Amino acid sequence: MNLRGLLLCVCIAFLLMSCQSSEPEVRWALVIHGGAGGIDRDRMTPEVQNAYHQALASALAAGEEVLRAGGPALDAVTEAIQVMEDSPLFNAGRGAVFTHEGRNELDASIMVGSGLDAGAVAGVTTVKNPILAARAVMERSPHVMLSGQGADQFASEQGLETVTPDYFYTERRWKDLQQVLQGGSEVAEISENGDWKFGTVGAVALDLDGNLVAGTSTGGMTNKRWGRIGDSPVIGAGTYAANDACAVSATGHGEYFIRRTVARDICARVEFLGEDLKTAAAQVVGEQLVAMGGSGGIIAVNRAGDMVMEFNSKGMFRGSVNSAQAAQTAMFKD
Ligand code: ASP
C-alpha cells in the first residue's frame, strides 16, 4: 500500500471511530413536570409513588406519539398537559386546589418558539382543559391573555368542553384547604412539616421541524384569594419559548417566579450570555431564586435537544423522552 492509500485508510478509520463515539443526534424531545415541592420518599407510599410514575408515563406517551410521527411540538405539549389535567393527582384541571372561598380557579398558558405566539387564561372556572383555552386564545383571538368570566365565555364560544364546578372537587384538595384554613396561614405555602406543596403541570417540546413550544397549567395555590394569579399564565414568568434560545415551563411559588421573570431570564441568559441551558437554569433556579427565598423548579429544552430539569425544592414530579432515549420518570432528588 502506498502512502496515499495508507493516509486514506487512517482517515476512514478516524471518521468511523468519531462517528461511533459521538452522542446520537436528538431529533425530537419532550420534558414534562407535575409540580415541585416537599416531595419526600418517606411521606409517599410505594402505591402513591407508582400512581405518579404511571400518570407521568401516560403524559409522556401522549406527547411522544405526536413527536415520533413528525407532529408539531404544539400538539405534543397540549396532549401531554391534557393527560395531567385530566388526572386528579396534579394541581391542574381535575385535581386543582381550592381558593379561600372553596372554588377552583385555573390558570394556563402556552407559547410557540417559532413566531413567539402565545396565549393564556387566568381564573377560569368552567373549561375542562385550561391548556386548550390558552391555545384557543393564541390561535383564535387577537389577544394573548384572557381572564375570569370572559375567558370562560370565550372558551365555551370556541366549542371547548365545559364542566360544572363539582368536576374539580377532589377530597384530598378540599382537606388541604381545611387544613390551611385551620392553620390560619395566608396561602398553603408551607405544610405541617415546613415543606412546600405545589403540583402545577407543564411540558416543553422540540419537534422534527426544530420548533420549540412550552405550556403550563395550574390551579394555583391553596387558599388563594382576591383573584390571585400566579406565574403559570404569565408569559415570561411561568412559560416562555423562543426558537433562538429555549422553551421553559416553571412550577413553584408564583410570586417569586413573576418577580424574577424566571422562564424568560433563563432563555435570555442562553441567548445573550451564551450560557448552556443547564448553566442558565442552575443560575436562575439554584442561585437567584434561592437568594430571594423562592422555591420550585423548571423544565427546559433547546433546539439541540438538551433537556434540563432543575429544582431547588425537595423534589419535582418530572419525566423526559427523546428520539435517542426511552421515557424516564422521577420525583425525588436522587
Ligand atoms: N406556580 C404556581 C402558582 O404560583 C403554583 C405551582 O407551581 O404549583 O400559581
Side-chain angles (χ1 to χ4, degrees), residues 1-305:
M1 190 187 294
N2 62 16
L3 186 64
R4 186 179 283 181
L6 188 71
L7 272 174
L8 195 67
C9 285
V10 170
C11 284
I12 290 171
F14 182 75
L15 270 175
L16 283 174
M17 271 165 57
S18 60
C19 280
Q20 274 169 1
S21 63
S22 67
E23 299 271 319
E25 190 198 350
V26 174
R27 297 165 62 234
W28 56 262
L30 173 68
V31 191
I32 60 168
H33 72 75
I39 299 160
D40 203 336
R41 193 172 265 117
D42 300 339
R43 290 167 43 208
M44 290 173 87
T45 63
E47 290 74 32
V48 171
Q49 290 179 33
N50 196 33
Y52 274 101
H53 280 298
Q54 301 254 324
L56 291 166
S58 304
L60 277 178
E64 177 180 352
E65 198 181 322
V66 174
L67 295 170
R68 196 174 280 288
L74 180 58
D75 288 351
V77 164
T78 31
E79 292 284 337
I81 290 181
Q82 254 184 278
V83 170
M84 293 186 280
E85 284 181 338
D86 290 344
S87 162
L89 291 177
F90 303 102
N91 170 22
R94 175 104 178 79
V97 298
F98 285 91
T99 65
H100 183 73
E101 295 78 20
R103 288 154 48 88
N104 305 98
E105 295 175 359
L106 307 129
D107 306 331
S109 65
I110 195 151
M111 185 162 187
V112 178
S114 47
L116 305 185
D117 290 330
V121 290
V124 291
T125 56
T126 58
V127 60
K128 180 171 174 263
N129 291 104
I131 195 66
L132 296 183
R135 182 172 173 170
V137 171
M138 175 177 77
E139 292 181 329
R140 297 184 238 153
S141 90
H143 308 298
V144 168
M145 190 184 227
L146 300 181
S147 70
Q149 264 184 11
D152 274 321
Q153 185 189 332
F154 171 78
S156 106
E157 282 172 13
Q158 293 302 314
L160 297 183
E161 192 176 346
T162 58
V163 290
T164 50
D166 56 319
Y167 169 79
F168 298 110
Y169 177 90
T170 56
E171 203 185 328
R172 168 186 170 209
R173 299 298 189 192
W174 183 252
K175 280 187 178 157
D176 282 347
L177 174 64
Q178 304 317 311
Q179 205 178 327
V180 177
L181 288 174
Q182 276 157 25
S185 60
E186 279 289 310
V187 284
E189 294 173 5
I190 299 173
S191 70
E192 59 284 9
N193 51 3
D195 293 327
W196 297 79
K197 274 184 176 174
F198 298 108
T200 293
V201 307
V204 294
L206 162 72
D207 63 25
L208 281 179
D209 293 329
N211 285 321
L212 299 176
V213 173
T216 312
S217 180
T218 189
M221 292 170 84
T222 301
N223 201 32
K224 66 182 182 179
R225 63 199 299 195
W226 304 304
R228 180 263 186 192
I229 296 167
D231 60 312
S232 307
V234 178
I235 296 300
T239 302
Y240 195 76
N243 276 7
D244 291 343
C246 60
V248 176
S249 168
T251 174
H253 193 162
E255 279 68 11
Y256 293 90
F257 282 66
I258 292 172
R259 289 162 59 204
R260 187 78 252 173
T261 54
V262 165
R264 171 64 183 147
D265 244 25
I266 292 171
C267 290
R269 294 185 78 97
V270 169
E271 196 175 341
F272 303 126
L273 296 181
E275 286 181 354
D276 64 80
L277 192 51
K278 174 85 185 152
T279 304
Q283 274 299 320
V284 175
V285 177
E287 303 284 337
Q288 297 178 338
L289 271 177
V290 169
M292 294 170 81
S295 175
I298 63 98
I299 51 168
V301 70
N302 62 14
R303 286 186 106 177

